[in-house]
Amino acid sequence: MPGSVRTRWVVSSAGVAVLAAAVVIGFAVWPDGASARDPEIQISRSACGRGWTDPRAGAQTFHLRNTGTVTAEVDLIDPATGVIYGEVEGLGTGTTRPLPVTLGNGSYAFRCLPEDSAAIVGPTVTVSGGADRGPGVAPVTQNDLLAPLKNYQAHVTAGLDQLVAGVTKLTDAVHGGDRAASESAWLTAHLTYERLGAAYNAFGDSDSAINGTTDGLPGGVADPGFTGFHRLEYGLWHNQDLAALRAVADRLDSAVRSLRKSFPDSQVDPRDLGLRAHEIVENALQFELTARTDYGSGTTLATARANVDGVQAVLDVLRPVLAPRYPRLSTVDSWMKRTGKTLDGARRVDGSWTPVSGLTAPQRQKINGDVSELAEQLAPIAAIAEPRRIS
């Protein structure tokens, strides 16, 4: 979008990952081209960081060569603080990978993290004569994420309690033969589930049973493998006999109860918290704003709104980790509020939701634009909140 700052992980053809966010948080950016002066840096237990003999400011590319016997990760850090300014993962033995950077004034060193070995910090190098250095990213450790994970587990547990109650109400309405009550209860329960987006990996096969679509099913909506919320949605809004939908509702009820019972023994992956904040919104763009997951209710914009609530829950638990590391967090907060308000505009006075097909062109452009910008603003969080080795 015009005026936006794009921040994301960039993977080169050589497989090197660097965070292209110098404008925002001072990480590495791709230079226009490598220079003949660009050094080869040795990476190993005995020679970490050797070869940097001509420190200079500005755009350049380090060629990191693993001269050791095991695969290693490599960070370019401020040795006094541990703040990271560039990163290469999975540097195999005997291989060379480029690390493009733009360096400002300050002290730097390479930190080598060989597999099954303690970290080694190479010689400190001082760069001067250039621009002031932007802020890097203080690494997030597994310990930093313990409290956020505990809080998010509690959030999901409470959400699953609400989900069980909501699906019970939905099942009762279906068994009672009340289509209007069934449709209302379906939406309430479905949105409750859609607010739990960062935990889906921990749900395992339950997610497909509860919220699967017809993608990959040869029989489409008639396929026996089509179950859960969307199967029930299709039946309710295509006027299928409610008596025939009782088994569908019962199966959904059983699936959510089984998930609620098993979830305490599951564990949300620490890497999923930051990653899902961005992916939830990307999925909303791909599936909800295109109505690809609309099986008759016309409520995918309500789903997108629930997804924004799900992202907010992630941001709330990660805030202590993100606040000192992401200067644009307040901008993310602003776009969260703006996007939520924009999606709220699709809700009618009677509480129903405008389907995507019922939007005017300006409305659709506004919704797509705001959700797209929110996805851009959330993109750096996955990299910032990723747990890293530092020792």
Side-chain angles (χ1 to χ4, degrees):
M1 297 205 38
S4 66
V5 178
R6 296 179 179 270
T7 59
R8 60 191 182 277
W9 282 101
V10 177
V11 181
S12 74
S13 59
V16 180
V18 295
L19 183 60
V23 176
V24 178
I25 52 176
F27 254 65
V29 298
W30 294 107
D32 292 333
S35 165
R37 298 170 59 195
D38 292 337
E40 180 176 278
I41 307 297
Q42 295 183 53
I43 304 299
S44 71
R45 294 186 181 97
S46 60
C48 179
R50 290 185 185 174
W52 194 359
T53 58
D54 182 23
R56 55 189 173 84
Q60 54 204 281
T61 298
F62 295 111
H63 299 280
L64 307 182
R65 180 163 181 79
N66 187 343
T67 57
T69 59
V70 296
T71 299
E73 298 179 9
V74 187
D75 298 332
L76 180 64
I77 65 171
D78 180 333
T81 63
V83 167
I84 301 173
Y85 291 92
E87 180 177 80
V88 171
E89 297 178 340
L91 182 63
T93 180
T95 62
T96 301
R97 302 269 183 86
L99 174 61
V101 294
T102 297
L103 300 181
N105 297 334
S107 296
Y108 299 89
F110 283 99
R111 177 169 59 203
C112 304
L113 298 125
E115 287 183 350
D116 302 321
S117 297
I120 306 105
V121 177
T124 297
V125 172
T126 300
V127 171
S128 60
D132 290 340
R133 181 169 67 186
V137 172
V140 173
T141 67
Q142 295 278 0
N143 285 341
D144 292 329
L145 293 175
L146 289 178
L149 279 170
K150 181 179 179 181
N151 292 336
Y152 193 72
Q153 292 270 149
H155 166 76
V156 174
T157 298
L160 290 175
D161 288 340
Q162 295 175 13
L163 179 65
V164 169
V167 172
T168 297
K169 185 175 181 180
L170 167 60
T171 304
D172 289 345
V174 172
H175 278 266
D178 189 332
R179 188 174 300 274
S182 298
E183 291 176 351
S184 176
W186 178 90
L187 180 59
T188 299
H190 186 237
L191 298 185
T192 298
Y193 186 77
E194 290 286 349
R195 294 186 180 100
L196 305 177
Y200 289 164
N201 271 9
F203 292 168
D205 293 339
S206 294
D207 182 45
S208 295
I210 293 170
N211 207 39
T213 68
T214 56
D215 285 353
L217 299 180
V221 295
D223 196 291
F226 184 36
T227 63
F229 276 116
H230 290 303
R231 172 63 184 91
L232 197 54
E233 175 190 9
Y234 181 83
L236 288 172
W237 274 272
H238 285 83
N239 207 34
Q240 290 184 344
D241 182 58
L242 287 181
L245 293 177
R246 291 173 185 171
V248 178
D250 288 344
R251 190 172 177 181
L252 173 61
D253 183 73
S254 177
V256 298
R257 289 179 183 276
S258 177
L259 175 60
R260 176 61 185 87
K261 183 178 180 180
S262 64
F263 182 71
D265 296 325
S266 304
Q267 179 65 53
V268 177
D269 192 320
R271 295 169 295 183
D272 281 351
L273 282 181
L275 182 63
R276 293 293 178 265
H278 178 240
E279 285 188 346
I280 290 169
V281 178
E282 281 195 325
N283 287 342
L285 277 167
Q286 183 178 0
F287 298 106
E288 314 307 337
L289 270 58
T290 60
R292 285 179 57 184
T293 52
D294 184 0
Y295 287 89
S297 68
T299 60
T300 58
L301 295 178
T303 301
R305 183 63 179 89
N307 293 159
V308 172
D309 290 338
V311 173
Q312 187 63 61
V314 175
L315 293 179
D316 288 344
V317 299
L318 280 178
R319 192 166 297 275
V321 171
L322 294 175
R325 292 173 170 86
Y326 190 21
R328 293 184 64 87
L329 187 57
S330 61
T331 303
V332 173
D333 291 335
S334 296
W335 277 100
M336 287 287 295
K337 292 177 182 177
R338 173 172 170 167
T339 305
K341 184 176 180 181
T342 297
L343 288 167
D344 285 338
R347 188 169 187 173
R348 299 171 175 140
V349 176
D350 65 0
S352 64
W353 287 79
T354 303
V356 170
S357 60
L359 296 173
T360 65
Q363 285 175 322
R364 190 161 187 170
Q365 290 171 359
K366 171 68 171 171
I367 290 173
N368 288 344
D370 283 1
V371 176
S372 295
E373 179 62 23
L374 178 60
E376 293 287 348
Q377 295 292 336
L378 289 166
I381 290 176
I384 295 169
E386 180 184 355
R388 289 174 168 82
R389 278 184 62 196
I390 59 174
S391 61

